[in-house]
Amino acid sequence: TLSHAALNDTVVTMATLTTRILGTKKERTIATLLLALCVPCSAQLGVIAIVLGRVSGLYFVIYVIIIFSQLLLVGYVASKILRGSPPDFMIEIPPFRFPGIYNVFIKTVYRIQWFMKEAIPLFILGTFILFIITKLGILRLLEKAGGPIVEGMLGLPSTTTQGFILGFLRRDYGAVSIFRELEKASGTDTAAPKKLLVALVVITLFVPCLANVFIMVKEQGVKNALLMVAFIFPFAVIIGSILILGLVS
């Protein structure tokens, strides 16, 4: 389970780690925020494409437009709010040469070792924490607490709450869980496809997976990481509420 989760979360996690190469703190903060907010992991994106494709290809196009528009909106607003001057957009282009196979191999091995050293301990810690809170019954309490928000603000069945919680643990499992719950209601709910679109938008914008949260803490510090999470959660719910009003009401 750990290795499977690690493979699914490597895209956003690796991207968050590589934000350290950016020139200013402002750039690193904005990039980390946008990765956590608008970029789904590879497994989740595949699941979303398949799920929405079964409903309508148009729904997937709408999904992409919504997510991309939020990326531009939040990125623009963050660039205006956060302090710091933008760096000069100047990059020295090195001479292009055909890479040697040995050099490519060495670089690949080095990058794999670097990622394993940086990320795997955090994956292990996250898995251990999930095991503890599951055994203590905290996940069930979170599901009960989140039910009124999911049902009242997002207009979704309360049973989909579990999917959003799973999305924090495993983004792809969360999307599948929500799809199954809405599929059960599709026989009596004509708006189920639209609700599915809203749910998948929200779970994409939702709080990033636990492994990525740990990486955010590592790269940005506890304060900045918690501020990002505190912004992302209500933002995702607000966008979902607006969408459900516009599409279903």
Side-chain angles (χ1 to χ4, degrees):
T1 302
L2 172 62
S3 60
H4 191 190
L7 289 173
N8 284 335
D9 294 328
T10 51
V11 176
V12 177
T13 302
M14 176 63 83
T16 304
L17 284 172
T18 55
T19 57
R20 63 181 64 172
I21 68 174
L22 297 176
T24 66
K25 182 178 179 181
K26 179 179 180 178
E27 284 182 300
R28 293 192 293 272
T29 301
I30 294 175
T32 301
L33 173 62
L34 295 180
L35 285 169
L37 177 68
C38 297
V39 180
C41 68
S42 56
Q44 184 191 23
L45 183 59
V47 169
I48 290 173
I50 293 172
V51 168
L52 289 179
R54 288 182 60 181
V55 178
S56 170
L58 178 61
Y59 275 60
F60 183 71
V61 173
I62 296 173
Y63 165 84
V64 172
I65 292 174
I66 292 172
I67 297 300
F68 186 69
S69 65
Q70 298 312 304
L71 186 147
L72 294 179
L73 173 63
V74 174
Y76 175 77
V77 174
S79 68
K80 298 300 181 181
I81 294 177
L82 296 178
R83 297 179 180 179
S85 57
D88 296 329
F89 190 71
M90 298 178 64
I91 301 176
E92 182 179 353
I93 301 178
F96 289 96
R97 297 186 178 92
F98 188 80
I101 300 300
Y102 177 77
N103 293 336
V104 172
F105 175 77
I106 292 298
K107 284 286 187 179
T108 302
V109 172
Y110 171 75
R111 292 298 181 185
I112 291 174
Q113 290 177 341
W114 170 70
F115 178 77
M116 297 286 282
K117 181 180 178 181
E118 293 278 347
I120 293 301
L122 297 179
F123 284 131
I124 295 174
L125 176 61
T127 303
F128 177 72
I129 292 176
L130 293 180
F131 173 78
I132 295 299
I133 63 177
T134 300
K135 291 299 181 181
L136 294 177
I138 297 176
L139 288 181
R140 292 182 180 179
L141 294 177
L142 291 175
E143 185 175 346
K144 291 181 180 179
I149 297 177
V150 172
E151 192 171 10
M153 297 188 66
L154 299 178
L156 302 173
S158 59
T159 52
T160 59
T161 306
Q162 183 182 17
F164 289 103
I165 296 175
L166 285 175
F168 178 60
L169 312 179
R170 285 286 306 276
R171 305 293 290 270
D172 50 331
Y173 282 6
V176 171
S177 176
I178 290 173
F179 172 69
R180 287 176 177 173
E181 293 299 329
L182 289 175
E183 193 175 37
K184 293 177 183 177
S186 60
T188 57
D189 188 356
T190 57
K194 296 178 181 179
K195 290 183 178 181
L196 176 63
L197 173 62
V198 172
L200 294 180
V201 167
V202 173
I203 200 173
T204 301
L205 299 176
F206 201 56
V207 177
C209 66
L210 185 60
N212 195 41
V213 170
F214 281 122
I215 296 296
M216 290 166 60
V217 171
K218 180 179 178 62
E219 294 299 310
Q220 291 289 325
V222 176
K223 179 181 177 181
N224 283 352
L226 292 180
L227 285 174
M228 290 182 191
V229 171
F231 164 76
I232 289 172
F233 174 72
F235 181 81
V237 174
I238 290 172
I239 295 299
S241 301
I242 294 172
L243 287 175
I244 203 71
L245 290 174
L247 294 175
V248 178
S249 301

